[in-house]
Amino acid sequence: MRTTNTNIQHTMHNFQQKLAQLKEIGQLRTRRTVNGPQGPMLNVDGRDYLAFCSNDYLGLANHPQLIAAAHAGLDRYGVGSAASALVCGHTEAHQQLETALAAFMQMPRALFFGNGYMANLGIIPALMGAGDMVFSDSLNHACLIDATRLSRADRQIYPHGDLQALETMLAASTAANKLIATDAVFSMDGDIAPLPQLLALCEQYDAWLLIDDAHGFGVLGADGRGSLSHFGLASPRVIYMGTLGKAAGVYGAFVAGEADLIEWLMQRARTYIFTTASPPSQATALCASLRIIEDEPWRRDHIRALAQLLRDGLAASPWRLMPSQTAIQPLLVGDNQAALDLMAALQARGIWAPAIRPPTVPTGTARLRISLSAAHSSADVAQLITALLALTHLAPSTIESSETNHA
């Protein structure tokens, strides 16, 4: 059948209606173009903003040592890798990075991926298939959800952090292969998954534990080794995925675990096999990043001090900071438009703290996602506190009921 202009116009009209509906319910998203490097101050459309929106938790994205390492990688390896890793795209720089990541994590082996989404889309389908069972926390990141669907395994979603519900599901499962998939630090709430209890359930019910530590790697644990180190955990059942575009300040991701497991993923993870390898200069920059993460613990200490300053300063405000020990400090607002209004009012004062709305978070729990960085100063956080306290008249009367529903 030939496509006519009438058909195209009808389709475009449908898009217009759907976009209008998103705008009406406060879910239409916009992009903002940043001029210059990442840092506590971002320039957007010629105006400088004090930014609390970046995942550059350790303040490394513009670090001179990483820039110098990237330049050295460009000089030695050129701009692109030009092929998949299993053809000729795996360079000495990539190999050095994987060796360094395994040593840093104190795990037998690591495999470098293009990004965290690709890593999880590769891991779960490589390990699980039809007839297997994946148990997924209800607040897991979209990449874990999509990876589970792609694997064609059966799936059960347990209420966020509900160990009793999860155990009931595990006990009832007859699947030969079982996997519990969870964010370690939940990106919109900032809370940490109960990893010791999850690992105990894996031991009891013979399951794998896949940990997505996108927001814990570099920030939590001894020397920034992440959520496993935070709890002092080690087990051959653990499949650890960490991203390298947040606290590490560059780009990419990795999975670490037992040597045979990693070899299997290299052989079967389609998002590793069938994609061009990342530029070698990323790997050289990341090796420099790992050294800084390990050698400069003051960055993690500073984040914790800033979080406490923020929590103390907003203790009497009408909004509530959700429980979090991490760099992610979500300020619960409730209503979509109220969150957008609060974001706009802060922007008018030269502060950028993004409003997060459904479907990213549950209905009725729109929030400002305040991200702290080691590059922020105490004065920066004090400026944010002062601005929020001056805007308390924008707090919706429904905030308390919204917080109760989310809990």
Side-chain angles (χ1 to χ4, degrees):
M1 179 183 294
R2 294 180 61 187
T3 301
T4 66
N5 287 337
T6 302
N7 296 141
I8 294 172
Q9 290 170 358
H10 177 72
T11 300
M12 292 302 173
H13 180 66
N14 286 342
F15 283 134
Q16 290 169 1
Q17 288 183 318
K18 291 176 180 179
L19 289 168
Q21 290 170 359
L22 287 178
K23 185 175 182 180
E24 184 177 350
I25 61 176
Q27 291 185 13
L28 190 67
R29 288 160 168 77
T30 58
R31 292 190 302 182
R32 294 164 181 83
T33 302
V34 174
N35 304 313
Q38 290 289 326
M41 298 299 297
L42 295 179
N43 183 274
V44 182
D45 298 327
R47 179 173 180 180
D48 289 332
Y49 290 91
L50 175 58
F52 293 94
C53 51
S54 172
N55 293 328
D56 181 26
Y57 301 129
L58 298 182
L60 299 181
N62 192 33
H63 196 287
Q65 290 183 35
L66 272 64
I67 294 171
H71 276 297
L74 287 170
D75 291 340
R76 180 167 184 176
Y77 299 101
V79 177
S81 61
S84 66
L86 293 180
V87 179
C88 63
H90 183 70
T91 67
E92 181 185 20
H94 294 105
Q95 185 59 49
Q96 289 173 349
L97 174 61
E98 290 181 347
T99 300
L101 285 166
F104 182 81
M105 291 303 303
Q106 300 175 349
M107 299 179 83
R109 189 173 169 189
L111 186 67
F112 181 50
F113 279 80
N115 58 52
Y117 216 113
M118 288 178 63
N120 282 334
L121 285 184
I123 294 167
I124 296 181
L127 297 178
M128 310 297 285
D132 297 332
M133 182 68 76
V134 177
F135 303 88
S136 180
D137 189 288
S138 62
L139 294 188
N140 274 348
H141 189 271
C143 60
L144 290 172
I145 297 168
D146 290 349
T148 301
R149 291 170 176 166
L150 188 64
S151 74
R152 301 182 182 178
D154 296 323
R155 63 184 184 273
Q156 289 191 282
I157 300 170
Y158 60 92
H160 179 51
D162 191 332
L163 295 167
Q164 184 174 355
L166 174 59
E167 182 168 13
T168 299
M169 295 175 183
L170 285 163
S173 175
T174 59
N177 296 309
K178 296 182 281 290
L179 180 145
I180 298 172
T182 184
D183 284 21
V185 175
F186 289 87
S187 61
M188 294 301 142
D189 289 42
D191 59 329
I192 305 174
L195 297 183
Q197 295 89 338
L198 291 175
L199 183 55
L201 288 175
C202 287
E203 298 284 356
Q204 183 176 352
Y205 293 99
D206 191 20
W208 293 100
L209 178 60
L210 171 58
I211 298 170
D212 179 336
D213 205 18
H215 300 274
F217 178 79
V219 178
L220 297 176
D223 298 324
R225 290 187 172 87
S227 298
L228 278 176
S229 174
H230 174 75
F231 288 111
L233 299 177
S235 170
R237 293 185 180 275
V238 169
I239 308 159
Y240 180 92
M241 197 286 290
T243 59
L244 301 168
K246 298 179 176 64
V250 189
Y251 191 69
F254 69 98
V255 57
E258 294 299 300
D260 287 345
L261 166 73
I262 300 303
E263 179 67 23
W264 177 255
L265 292 177
M266 192 184 79
Q267 299 294 332
R268 284 294 182 263
R270 293 169 68 86
T271 53
Y272 180 81
I273 298 168
F274 298 108
T275 191
T276 299
S278 298
S281 58
Q282 289 184 8
T284 58
L286 283 165
C287 284
S289 176
L290 288 178
R291 291 191 290 271
I292 295 173
I293 291 172
E294 188 169 19
D295 293 344
E296 298 186 4
W298 68 262
R299 295 177 183 273
R300 289 176 288 279
D301 295 339
H302 187 53
I303 291 171
R304 286 190 289 270
L306 293 178
Q308 190 59 55
L309 177 64
L310 181 68
R311 303 190 79 83
D312 291 344
L314 295 179
S317 78
W319 301 289
R320 295 291 178 268
L321 283 165
M322 299 171 68
S324 172
Q325 304 174 46
T326 70
I328 302 166
Q329 296 291 317
L331 189 70
L332 188 63
V333 177
D335 177 73
N336 288 356
Q337 192 57 51
L340 290 171
D341 291 344
L342 184 56
M343 175 183 173
L346 285 173
Q347 284 190 318
R349 288 162 170 78
I351 298 174
W352 187 356
I356 306 296
R357 296 151 285 156
T360 306
V361 295
T363 301
T365 69
R367 66 201 63 179
L368 296 188
R369 183 185 184 272
I370 299 169
S371 297
L372 300 175
S373 168
H376 284 127
S377 67
S378 298
D380 293 335
V381 174
Q383 183 177 339
L384 173 62
I385 293 168
T386 299
L388 284 168
L389 293 179
L391 295 170
T392 55
H393 61 281
L394 296 178
S397 59
T398 57
I399 179 68
E400 198 155 326
S401 62
S402 295
E403 186 177 15
T404 302
N405 290 339
H406 182 61

